Amino acid sequence: MANVVVVGAQWGDEGKGKLVDWLSERADIVARFQGGHNAGHTLVIDGNVYKLSLLPSGIVRGGKLSVIGNGVVLDPWALLAEIEKLKGQGVDISPENLMIAENTPLILPVHGELDRARESQNTVAKIGTTGRGIGPAYEDKVGRRTVRVADLADEATLDQRIARLLTHHNALRAGLGLEPVDAAALKAQLMEVAPKVLPYAKPVWKVLTEARRAGKRILFEGAQGSLLDVDFGTYPFVTSSNTLAGMAATGTGLGPTAVDYVLGIVKAYTTRVGEGPFPSELFDADGERLGERGHEFGTVTGRKRRCGWFDAVLVRQTCATSGVSGIALTKLDVLDGFETLRICTGYELDGEMLDYLPTAANLQARVKPIYEEMEGWSESTVGARSWADLPGAAVKYVRRIEELIQCPVALVSTSPERNDTILVKDPFED
């Protein structure tokens, strides 16, 4: 039996939600280990659409334990709203099947206000943040002034946490022309939400350790994508957490030996939301076609995604930094009908050929893609569940991707529906 980490191997929006949900049938526990409610997953199950931001994708399955780990930053009001929305869709959610790590940092209203204020006043280069307070919440975590879930259970501790937090934030707010935060009002908000959140609070590291010893299968669910990693992404146009597979260990309290298989989710083309470099971005009819056919709008923000050809250089790079064992290729069906397809196989920079994306921002902005052309296919791949169901040209496209990224394909997804998946290698059977 294997424990599996699922990470996005591009800029996010790769279809992790569907794959995590599909894999959760084989798992006992599904655990989120980083990010916040800026991440979005859309699941389509028997025609029903579920949109998740904070809750692990396994929550829509009965008999599974869903876990929000300490690597997540948690907006308690957003969580409760999401729980109520899913309950309205018939999903059972209780402390029996949902657990939150006691040491999870909270996103407070002050974080969202700071996020939006800084972005609106950033005249140099906007980061493209969702404005939900994710970055400021992570800043407070490493600044040792955050309010954590466990603090909600003790007023004296909460008073200390709020005082330390606001010493920092009110100074920042003054510089941004914002009114100071009222400590008593913030405390009242937290005390109101506390009894609704605390029933879910548990020592997650202990529960997961015991589950692992008992032979339970754990599925670690990453949010966003590897190219948004705060260390290895296209900095500064990144998120505020580590999105690579290694974060699964520290983001839940289990050591790295708990991870047996890393599944990288990879879209059959490339997209990104917001600002930042994008070497294979398309500004023509092909780019528009990819966006329209792929319904490329953000689950959380509704923002239109930028679209481009598959970039094998970037995916090879993220497979290395996340230690990817195999990839799940998604949205292959979006390429149906293209007469010719292109794959970015390298970059040209000032006359030099590169096989990786350089770290310096000015160099990232200047690289030009080197393309290899492949024959497309006119037949439909929608709903294919075996290699025999795919056109020959589609199989060649998948095999060429394997060669270029130096990583095998474990699954191929051919529609948003849960079971429209070609299984090559079951990640849980390591």
Side-chain angles (χ1 to χ4, degrees):
M1 290 187 180
N3 295 323
V4 177
V5 178
V6 173
V7 292
Q10 293 160 311
W11 276 293
D13 312 309
E14 301 95 347
K16 291 183 295 296
K18 171 201 166 168
L19 270 300
V20 169
D21 173 66
W22 188 85
L23 288 165
S24 68
E25 185 176 13
R26 295 159 170 77
D28 301 296
I29 300 169
V30 182
R32 272 281 307 271
F33 59 84
Q34 54 77 219
H37 63 305
N38 55 339
H41 296 318
T42 299
L43 307 181
V44 181
I45 303 169
D46 297 328
N48 296 313
V49 179
Y50 302 94
K51 294 191 176 184
L52 310 178
S53 295
L54 270 169
L55 293 170
S57 299
I59 198 69
V60 298
R61 282 190 178 274
K64 310 292 179 182
L65 174 63
S66 290
V67 169
I68 296 176
N70 56 278
V72 174
V73 281
L74 179 74
D75 182 322
W77 297 276
L79 172 71
L80 294 172
E82 190 172 329
I83 288 174
E84 287 307 308
K85 180 180 178 181
L86 286 179
K87 283 184 175 179
Q89 292 184 270
V91 179
D92 177 47
I93 303 175
S94 73
E96 297 300 313
N97 66 347
L98 175 63
M99 184 180 298
I100 303 170
E102 296 172 317
N103 52 338
T104 300
L106 297 181
I107 298 176
L108 307 178
V110 66
H111 293 128
E113 291 168 8
L114 177 61
D115 203 358
R116 294 185 291 273
R118 289 196 302 204
E119 187 77 351
S120 66
Q121 296 186 29
N122 188 346
T123 58
V124 179
K126 292 185 181 297
I127 300 298
T129 171
T130 60
R132 284 164 167 76
I134 311 299
Y138 275 116
E139 290 174 37
D140 283 343
K141 175 182 178 177
V142 298
R144 294 166 292 182
R145 54 181 173 265
T146 193
V147 177
R148 305 199 293 182
V149 170
D151 300 330
L152 298 177
D154 182 70
E155 279 197 57
T157 300
L158 188 58
D159 287 336
Q160 294 174 3
R161 297 284 190 268
I162 291 174
R164 182 174 176 82
L165 180 84
L166 295 188
T167 297
H168 175 79
H169 275 271
N170 282 337
L172 283 178
R173 293 170 71 88
L176 291 167
L178 301 175
E179 292 295 320
V181 175
D182 185 294
L186 177 56
K187 179 183 177 182
Q189 287 180 286
L190 289 170
M191 293 302 294
E192 180 184 5
V193 80
K196 302 174 185 177
V197 173
L198 285 172
Y200 298 101
K202 295 288 188 303
V204 158
W205 68 269
K206 185 174 185 296
V207 173
L208 292 183
T209 298
E210 292 170 352
R212 185 185 174 211
R213 287 173 180 166
K216 302 291 186 182
R217 288 176 167 180
I218 305 170
L219 183 61
F220 300 93
E221 177 183 9
Q224 298 139 309
S226 298
L227 292 169
L228 296 176
D229 185 88
V230 70
D231 288 312
F232 290 95
T234 48
Y235 191 91
F237 305 102
V238 294
T239 193
S240 299
S241 62
N242 287 109
T243 60
L244 301 182
M247 185 62 186
T250 53
T252 58
L254 285 179
T257 56
V259 176
D260 301 297
Y261 191 98
V262 178
L263 181 68
I265 313 300
V266 179
K267 197 177 288 186
Y269 49 102
T270 311
T271 64
R272 85 171 293 175
V273 170
E275 308 298 325
F278 186 168
S280 66
E281 184 173 9
L282 295 171
F283 302 94
D284 57 11
D286 285 336
E288 288 294 323
R289 185 178 179 184
L290 288 172
E292 290 171 4
R293 295 204 59 191
H295 306 291
E296 297 297 349
F297 296 90
T299 299
V300 173
T301 64
R303 289 186 293 182
K304 184 178 181 180
R305 297 176 186 139
R306 300 154 63 189
C307 297
W309 295 119
F310 185 85
D311 191 328
V313 183
L314 289 179
V315 175
R316 182 170 63 243
Q317 195 163 319
T318 56
C319 283
T321 53
S322 262
V324 172
S325 311
I327 69 164
L329 190 68
T330 67
K331 291 200 168 185
L332 183 66
D333 54 297
V334 173
L335 300 181
D336 293 354
F338 277 88
E339 185 175 337
T340 302
L341 300 172
R342 286 182 161 191
I343 299 176
C344 176
T345 59
Y347 303 132
E348 184 271 324
L349 177 65
D350 301 334
E352 180 184 357
M353 303 302 161
L354 299 179
D355 62 356
Y356 69 99
L357 185 69
T359 300
N362 67 312
L363 300 183
Q364 290 181 351
R366 286 165 42 211
V367 298
K368 297 178 181 178
I370 299 171
Y371 287 117
E372 173 182 304
E373 289 192 351
M374 293 194 69
E375 179 186 359
W377 56 89
S378 57
E379 306 96 319
S380 174
T381 63
V382 177
R385 299 185 182 184
S386 71
W387 287 118
D389 296 333
L390 293 179
V395 175
K396 289 180 182 179
Y397 182 77
V398 175
R399 294 307 188 196
R400 183 57 178 151
I401 284 176
E402 283 185 311
E403 293 173 358
L404 290 170
I405 68 174
Q406 299 171 3
C407 190
V409 169
L411 303 108
V412 179
S413 172
T414 55
S415 93
E417 286 291 342
R418 175 188 283 169
N419 293 319
D420 288 345
T421 304
I422 300 171
L423 177 62
V424 181
K425 157 72 177 175
D426 188 337
F428 280 113
E429 299 299 331
D430 188 37

